Amino acid sequence: MPLVVVRSSPLLWVRLAALIFSCVAFSVAVHGAGLHSRTADWCIFCWSFSFAGTLLVLLVELFGLQTRAPVSWKNFPITFACYASLLCLSASVIFPLYFLKGYPRGRREYDFRVVSTVFSCLATVAYVSEVSISKARPGEVSGYMATAPGLLKVCETFVACIIFVFISEPISYDQHPALQWCLAVYCICFILSAAIIVLCVGECTGCLPFPFARFLSAYALLAVLMYLSATIIWPIFKFDKNHGGTTYRPAQCGSQPGFCAFDKLVAVAVLTALNFILYLADLIYSARLVFVTV
């Protein structure tokens, strides 16, 4: 029988809080919020995935199974917490935008949706607190994913996933080869960043035929240059009339729930610039990385 080890700590309490808040968020939404759409399914997935992952982390640590886990336990919990915080944050923004805006107050479903929104926000705060507690401090020996560049990799892949959603529904990258280049930038950088995360969590960085730290710096520089080009190209070919773009927001967008097609184009431009900033910060941190273990 494995020994159950319960050690009270701020990290344990924020994980328990995140577990409870995410559980309440998706339970209430499923029970009585009256949701029937793919957007609702996404929000419920965000909360349930976060709940399941946190439960797994708690069980592994309570039973002392870290050494038997097939992943690096220095990297996995904080990587998951960072993804969970971003997932719950996205649900906290999307859910009220689609399911509270314009919905008549006083109805039973409205009250359930408000409760889900509140607990989604609380879960986001709990996961952000977990990341803040778990991240490496200067001079500490820690896993790569607990450092600033590791956490930035998580944010970069998440932002890229949101970009993929916005540019694929409706498809907005097939009008010009320059826009297809932007899609290539998003795909290449996402694949490489995701591969780095997998290598770190799986403790496979030593299998590479070249120094991992140099690869990180070289990749960050490449990603900065690629995203800089996409940050310039996307607005030119989407919002400049001389290149077939649209300069104004259609009037019907104000009456639609959520994001209309024009709003998604603007969101892609903003998220592209955001990822450029994240990769630039990643480059700066990667060049100065002084942590002992990766």
Side-chain angles (χ1 to χ4, degrees):
M1 282 288 292
L3 178 64
V4 178
V5 181
V6 181
R7 295 177 181 174
S8 179
S9 66
L11 186 58
L12 174 63
W13 290 115
V14 295
R15 283 175 177 166
L16 287 174
L19 185 76
I20 295 171
F21 295 152
S22 57
C23 179
V24 173
F26 80 79
S27 299
V28 170
V30 170
H31 176 67
L35 304 173
H36 304 285
S37 69
R38 288 194 298 175
T39 304
D41 294 340
W42 164 253
C43 295
I44 293 172
F45 165 78
C46 291
W47 300 322
S48 57
F49 176 80
S50 302
F51 167 80
T54 303
L55 180 61
L56 175 64
V57 171
L58 284 172
L59 290 176
V60 169
E61 297 205 344
L62 287 176
F63 286 97
L65 302 175
Q66 297 93 322
T67 57
R68 300 184 182 182
V71 295
S72 168
W73 209 252
K74 294 182 297 183
N75 290 306
F76 176 77
I78 190 169
T79 303
F80 173 79
C82 192
Y83 273 120
S85 64
L86 294 171
L87 287 170
C88 289
L89 176 62
S90 68
S92 300
V93 174
I94 294 173
F95 193 78
L97 189 63
Y98 277 85
F99 304 109
L100 287 181
K101 180 183 176 182
Y103 196 82
R105 299 186 179 185
R107 298 185 60 176
R108 179 174 175 269
E109 292 84 0
Y110 183 86
D111 296 335
F112 277 85
R113 295 179 183 187
V114 170
V115 172
S116 290
T117 302
V118 170
F119 277 91
S120 179
C121 294
L122 292 174
T124 302
V125 173
Y127 281 116
V128 171
S129 300
E130 180 181 349
V131 173
S132 178
I133 294 172
S134 303
K135 71 178 182 179
R137 302 301 189 272
E140 288 183 355
V141 176
S142 181
Y144 176 77
M145 296 308 300
T147 66
L151 296 175
L152 286 170
K153 292 289 189 305
V154 174
C155 296
E156 292 157 6
T157 55
F158 187 81
V159 171
C161 287
I162 299 177
I163 292 176
F164 291 143
V165 173
F166 284 154
I167 65 176
S168 60
E169 190 180 344
I171 295 176
S172 55
Y173 53 81
D174 58 349
Q175 294 89 353
H176 196 278
L179 297 175
Q180 295 173 7
W181 162 251
C182 292
L183 176 64
V185 170
Y186 305 144
C187 293
I188 293 171
C189 293
F190 170 79
I191 292 172
L192 291 176
S193 294
I196 291 171
I197 294 173
V198 172
L199 288 172
C200 291
V201 173
E203 289 190 319
C204 300
T205 57
C207 301
L208 297 176
F210 41 78
F212 186 58
R214 291 186 180 180
F215 168 72
L216 292 175
S217 298
Y219 163 61
L221 176 60
L222 176 64
V224 166
L225 297 176
M226 294 178 69
Y227 259 94
L228 176 60
S229 66
T231 303
I232 297 172
I233 292 173
W234 185 267
I236 290 177
F237 285 89
K238 284 300 180 183
F239 307 119
D240 187 351
K241 289 190 297 183
N242 296 327
H243 296 86
T246 304
T247 57
Y248 60 92
R249 186 173 186 258
Q252 60 267 27
C253 283
S255 59
Q256 295 180 1
F259 297 100
C260 66
F262 183 84
D263 293 338
K264 291 180 179 180
L265 297 179
V266 174
V268 171
V270 173
L271 292 172
T272 302
L274 174 60
N275 242 3
F276 166 70
I277 295 173
L278 292 175
Y279 277 108
L280 182 61
D282 191 353
L283 174 62
I284 295 171
Y285 276 111
S286 296
R288 297 167 44 191
L289 191 59
V290 294
F291 292 87
V292 177
T293 57
V294 176

